[in-house]
């Protein structure tokens, strides 16, 4: 009864929605599900939700995006999303015309840019729903636009978009920078292995967002192949997603969240 009252702000079938549409839900224990339900409720009810022109938001859209965003801060708290001004949902990939600096100094390039999502400093998070929905069902692919964009918001919490979220002390920051700089270097020089999307090589902020995607979606593989990266991300997020996979699939699980080999990204 108290459960029902506490979640009264959510769609009546919110739990069926997450069971059906959010693969991570199956890996959570009761306490984690309770915490995530609270985050879903808070995000659905306290954030401003907007749909792109001609698109209509549904309970499923709000619930699934909130569940994925809430997963990221399951070990943290909702204050981490205080700067999320609005959540703007587009039906699919967004095409923008952008002017950017050219490769020759002083020149600019005009071009169309396709985006699955975007996060701006103290502004909205923009999400392409078809991609978010697919990733929520198939974390084994390693990609997730919701985890990616909300990771950018966590990076922005200390007002510097540099791939380093707020950390408790100088030692933790130094360790973070050492580990992530090393992995970024490997990615940039083609030695990063197949786990991390090459897009993460763009800059430290993209590296953190891309690393966050695989930390949650391919945790057993990240822990096995990049244990130091797994450790710093786990310390920041205060979560151990690889342990959740072992709890569900048994101690020998390797890439079990996965069906190992399901990775379709280029190496
Ligand atoms: Zn990004």
């Amino acid at each position: 009864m108290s459960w029902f009252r506490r979640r009264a702000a959510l769609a009546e079938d919110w739990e069926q929605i997450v069971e059906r549409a959010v693969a991570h839900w199956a890996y959570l224990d009761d306490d984690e599900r309770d915490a995530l339900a609270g985050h879903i409720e808070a995000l659905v009810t306290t954030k401003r939700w907007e749909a792109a022109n001609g698109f209509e938001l549904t309970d499923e859209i709000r619930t699934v995006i909130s569940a994925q965003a809430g997963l990221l801060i399951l070990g943290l708290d909702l204050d981490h999303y205080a700067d999320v001004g609005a959540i703007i949902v587009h039906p699919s990939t967004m095409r923008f015309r952008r002017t950017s600096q050219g490769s020759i100094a002083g020149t600019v390039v005009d071009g169309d840019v396709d985006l699955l999502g975007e996060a701006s400093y103290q502004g909205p998070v923009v999400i392409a729903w078809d991609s978010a929905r697919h990733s929520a069902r198939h974390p084994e692919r390693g990609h997730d636009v919701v985890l990616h964009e909300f990771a950018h918001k966590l990076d922005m919490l200390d007002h510097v978009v540099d791939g380093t979220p707020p950390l408790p002390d100088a030692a933790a920051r130094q360790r973070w920078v050492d580990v992530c700089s090393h992995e970024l270097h490997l990615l940039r020089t083609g030695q990063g292995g197949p786990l991390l999307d090459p897009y993460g090589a763009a800059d430290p902020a993209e590296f953190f967002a891309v690393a966050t995607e695989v930390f949650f979606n391919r945790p057993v593989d990240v822990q096995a192949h990049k244990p130091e990266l797994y450790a710093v991300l786990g310390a920041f997020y205060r979560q151990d997603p690889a342990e959740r996979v072992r709890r569900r699939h048994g101690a020998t699980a390797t890439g079990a969240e996965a069906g190992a080999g399901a990775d379709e990204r280029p190496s």
Side-chain angles (χ1 to χ4, degrees):
M1 210 43 147
S2 64
W3 177 273
F4 176 73
R5 270 201 300 275
R6 278 163 56 211
R7 309 298 167 214
L10 290 178
E12 212 171 297
D13 61 343
W14 73 268
E15 200 166 351
Q16 286 100 296
I17 292 173
V18 290
E19 262 170 26
R20 190 181 64 237
V22 180
H24 284 290
W25 184 257
Y27 292 86
L28 304 180
D29 65 22
D30 287 346
D31 287 343
E32 290 166 334
R33 288 181 177 189
D34 196 32
L36 185 56
H39 286 350
I40 294 170
E41 185 174 49
L43 292 170
V44 165
T45 56
T46 66
K47 292 302 170 192
R48 199 169 78 243
W49 291 80
E50 295 174 15
N53 268 346
F55 187 53
E56 205 169 314
L57 296 183
T58 62
D59 287 332
E60 180 179 5
I61 292 172
R62 282 183 287 257
T63 304
V64 170
I65 292 174
S66 294
Q68 296 293 90
L71 178 72
L72 212 56
I73 55 160
L74 208 51
L76 304 168
D77 60 51
L78 278 160
D79 287 348
H80 286 77
Y81 290 156
D83 283 344
V84 176
I87 299 165
I88 303 172
V89 188
H90 288 245
S92 189
T93 308
M94 296 148 261
R95 172 156 287 193
F96 293 103
R97 179 149 281 266
R98 285 268 164 93
T99 303
S100 54
Q101 195 181 331
S103 52
I104 301 165
T107 63
V108 291
V109 187
D110 234 354
D112 289 329
V113 183
D114 290 328
L115 291 178
L116 291 175
E118 192 167 43
S120 51
Y121 178 65
Q122 293 184 333
V125 173
V126 185
I127 298 290
W129 168 238
D130 60 353
S131 176
R133 180 177 57 185
H134 186 77
S135 301
R137 286 178 199 228
H138 298 286
E140 73 277 4
R141 302 279 171 86
H143 286 280
D144 193 299
V145 62
V146 179
L147 299 181
H148 183 107
E149 301 305 337
F150 279 83
H152 280 316
K153 295 301 286 194
L154 299 178
D155 182 12
M156 291 167 185
L157 278 172
D158 56 5
H159 313 294
V160 193
V161 189
D162 60 354
T164 306
L167 292 164
D169 54 47
R173 264 194 304 282
Q174 191 56 53
R175 170 118 183 93
W176 179 282
V177 170
D178 288 347
V179 170
C180 293
S181 303
H182 176 64
E183 288 294 339
L184 178 56
H185 172 74
L186 293 179
L187 200 57
R188 283 177 167 169
T189 53
Q191 308 168 75
L195 263 178
L196 290 159
D197 192 297
Y199 184 63
D203 56 47
E206 294 307 336
F207 178 83
F208 170 50
V210 162
T212 292
E213 292 179 76
V214 289
F215 173 74
F216 284 97
N217 286 339
R218 306 278 304 272
V220 174
D221 293 334
V222 177
Q223 192 176 42
H225 299 292
K226 300 186 178 296
E228 292 184 327
L229 182 62
Y230 186 88
V232 294
L233 289 166
F236 167 64
Y237 283 111
R238 297 185 201 169
Q239 297 193 53
D240 187 355
E243 179 54 30
R244 286 187 199 129
V245 175
R246 286 189 289 269
R247 186 171 69 199
R248 182 166 160 82
H249 293 291
T252 56
T254 306
E257 67 269 302
D263 185 8
E264 292 178 345
R265 283 163 295 130
S267 58

